Amino acid sequence: MGNFICRTDNDRPESEKLSVIHAAICFCLFLPRILLISAFLRIIGMNKSALPLKGEMIVRSIKFFSSNCKYENTKELVEYLATLRKRQTRKDIQKNKKEVWCVNKVLVERKLSSFPCLKALWVGTKDWETAKQEKNTKLIFHLHGGGYCFGSESQNKAWYFEWISQYNKLINNNHYSNDNHNNSYNHHHKTNETFGIFSLRYSLAPQNKHPCAISECIETFQWLVSSCGFSSDSIILSGDSAGGGLALICALQLKAQLFPLPAALILCSPWVDHRCETDSYIRNEKTDFISKRAARLCTIDYLGHENLEQKILDPTVSPILDPGLSTLSIPTLLTWGGGEVFADDCEKLSKILNSESEANCEIIHHKDMPHCYIIVQGLGGEPQREGRHALVEFCYKIFKGTHH
């Protein structure tokens, strides 16, 4: 056997020492940038396949947060971003909030498709099978955003937890008020109403183009009513960004098919006009993390290049052009920020719903906030807290039949 020589750092050649030092310096310089990009990928729920085309959104997000968060260095900014999408485990939730939420994966059965089922996420006060069997279950059927090209059913899970927590707190406080008024309050009383969020994983572009996502969402709503036994007035149809536009399209299509409509709509910064021609795309270019170019790229992925301008005018693509809006009679909650590129389109939609239809549209709006400020975890500060509280109150009024 040969002799092995143990060499210390003092025995290393000077050139080798310098190489190690240079490598360490490069690693330290580039690590914060890698963490920064990774944090933004988590914030917007981007999958790897969408990365090449959607790099524009990452760059804009970095510039947006860098200019608005007022942090002096990259390290502080990365630490801030890491808190925006902090994921809580069920153990943490039970420990910190003393609440037990059930998280289940659900398979949506399909009869008229070569794909036998779709996947969905259920986050609720009781497990999915129990929720289906109970008559008093109230659920939010939520459609995630992502320009029809990226995102997932679980990207807003932290918000789902808070949504359920606030709803339970509100409903129990109201039980307390009613029972206290009748002098019969039981300190251990809690409502047995089941409440939860049902979030669908619909097919994404460019692999699955229009109208695939629409068909899946309509089919899933009909499955919830016809096969799972939920009444349509126990379901609120909700969506953010592209999911908000998708929710509005689904409601209009269900109305056209004479199918029972959901109890209400919640539209958070909905993308309702793919023409992208309003002034807010230019006016708010520096106050939002979405750009006209990024929206255009998503539109091309979703519709394809062929006859693009003609397809954009289709009401199942740009629902703000649907004549059925004037006769839509579903109670609607519409939220948006005055600093987002969709601001003018959302304002136009609110005027249509309030003046031309019987939708009875409520509005949550903050003039300085960016896109989806109510949904993106930790983004909106006090405006976000106020908006989320108003959103939960809207749900409570709808399900209790006190909305006017």
Side-chain angles (χ1 to χ4, degrees):
M1 296 180 63
N3 295 325
F4 292 91
I5 300 174
C6 180
R7 189 172 63 176
T8 65
D9 286 343
N10 293 330
D11 298 325
R12 293 179 183 274
E14 193 66 25
S15 60
E16 188 174 339
K17 290 182 182 179
L18 291 175
S19 298
V20 173
I21 294 173
H22 288 162
I25 292 174
C26 290
F27 179 77
C28 293
L29 287 175
F30 283 100
L31 181 60
R33 291 163 174 77
I34 295 171
L35 292 175
L36 184 65
I37 293 174
S38 176
F40 274 105
L41 289 175
R42 290 172 63 83
I43 290 170
I44 62 178
M46 183 176 293
N47 58 39
K48 294 179 181 178
S49 63
L51 181 59
L53 279 177
K54 308 309 177 297
E56 166 79 8
M57 292 191 66
I58 301 176
V59 173
R60 288 190 60 83
S61 297
I62 293 173
K63 290 181 180 179
F64 171 80
F65 282 99
S66 298
S67 61
N68 285 277
C69 296
K70 311 301 181 185
Y71 288 99
E72 296 181 357
N73 55 57
T74 306
K75 180 181 177 182
E76 291 183 5
L77 179 57
V78 170
E79 290 175 351
Y80 167 75
L81 294 174
T83 65
L84 292 186
R85 292 277 300 191
K86 183 180 179 182
R87 298 184 181 276
Q88 291 181 293
T89 64
R90 274 175 280 179
K91 184 180 291 185
D92 292 333
I93 295 163
Q94 293 172 18
K95 179 180 178 181
N96 298 332
K97 298 189 176 182
K98 297 181 180 179
E99 296 178 353
V100 179
W101 297 328
C102 298
V103 179
N104 304 124
K105 294 181 179 180
V106 181
L107 296 180
V108 181
E109 299 173 359
R110 308 182 71 191
K111 297 180 180 179
L112 303 177
S113 173
S114 56
F115 296 97
C117 62
L118 296 170
K119 294 182 179 180
L121 177 74
W122 166 257
V123 181
T125 54
K126 297 180 182 178
D127 67 86
W128 174 246
E129 293 301 324
T130 302
K132 286 197 299 181
Q133 296 171 6
E134 296 193 350
K135 295 182 179 180
N136 63 343
T137 298
K138 312 295 183 184
L139 67 87
I140 309 295
F141 178 19
H142 187 77
L143 304 172
H144 67 81
Y148 296 99
C149 300
F150 51 88
S152 74
E153 73 280 9
S154 60
Q155 70 183 37
N156 300 315
K157 191 188 291 186
W159 160 228
Y160 299 160
F161 292 148
E162 184 178 339
W163 196 340
I164 297 171
S165 178
Q166 287 195 27
Y167 184 85
N168 281 346
K169 184 177 180 180
L170 182 63
I171 200 170
N172 284 320
N173 285 345
N174 278 279
H175 274 292
Y176 171 82
S177 299
N178 293 335
D179 289 342
N180 196 41
H181 179 73
N182 295 327
N183 297 320
S184 61
Y185 177 67
N186 180 350
H187 288 280
H188 298 286
H189 172 76
K190 285 189 177 181
T191 177
N192 60 352
E193 179 177 296
T194 302
F195 177 76
I197 318 294
F198 182 91
S199 180
L200 178 68
R201 182 193 295 183
Y202 57 86
S203 299
L204 301 175
Q207 292 84 0
N208 301 278
K209 299 188 184 301
H210 171 272
C212 183
I214 299 172
S215 301
E216 291 176 352
C217 295
I218 293 174
E219 191 175 346
T220 299
F221 182 85
Q222 294 173 337
W223 175 79
L224 287 170
V225 174
S226 302
S227 299
C228 296
F230 298 107
S231 62
S232 60
D233 57 6
S234 68
I235 303 173
I236 292 178
L237 184 55
S238 168
D240 63 278
S241 192
L246 188 55
L248 181 58
I249 292 168
C250 289
L252 291 166
Q253 292 299 303
L254 288 168
K255 179 177 177 293
Q257 296 176 19
L258 303 179
F259 195 85
L261 298 177
L265 289 174
I266 296 178
L267 310 176
C268 300
S269 297
W271 190 10
V272 293
D273 192 343
H274 284 247
R275 292 175 295 181
C276 306
E277 294 176 347
T278 54
D279 294 339
S280 57
Y281 279 93
I282 299 174
R283 183 178 70 249
N284 295 333
E285 183 180 7
K286 295 183 179 180
T287 58
D288 201 5
F289 50 88
I290 293 179
S291 69
K292 181 174 182 177
R293 180 176 180 271
R296 190 69 175 179
L297 284 174
C298 290
T299 298
I300 292 172
D301 276 359
Y302 182 51
L303 301 177
H305 288 276
E306 188 176 352
N307 298 324
L308 179 62
E309 299 306 321
Q310 182 179 350
K311 291 177 181 177
I312 287 175
L313 301 178
D314 187 334
T316 62
V317 175
S318 300
I320 201 167
L321 303 177
D322 195 321
L325 276 177
S326 60
T327 57
L328 189 66
S329 57
I330 309 176
T332 302
L333 178 67
L334 177 60
T335 81
W336 78 92
E340 67 173 285
V341 295
F342 295 164
D344 289 351
D345 291 332
C346 290
E347 185 174 357
K348 182 179 178 181
L349 177 63
S350 70
K351 291 179 179 178
I352 294 174
L353 293 176
N354 276 324
S355 62
E356 298 180 17
S357 74
E358 301 176 359
N360 190 12
C361 179
E362 289 190 17
I363 295 172
I364 301 175
H365 172 260
H366 193 285
K367 63 178 182 178
D368 298 323
M369 298 309 296
H371 183 64
C372 283
Y373 75 94
I374 287 182
I375 298 293
V376 178
Q377 192 73 4
L379 177 61
E382 189 60 30
Q384 182 179 78
R385 286 189 289 272
E386 293 176 355
R388 288 184 169 187
H389 181 71
L391 186 151
V392 174
E393 283 193 328
F394 175 82
C395 296
Y396 177 83
K397 290 187 292 183
I398 290 295
F399 287 141
K400 296 303 173 184
T402 60
H403 182 269
H404 301 291

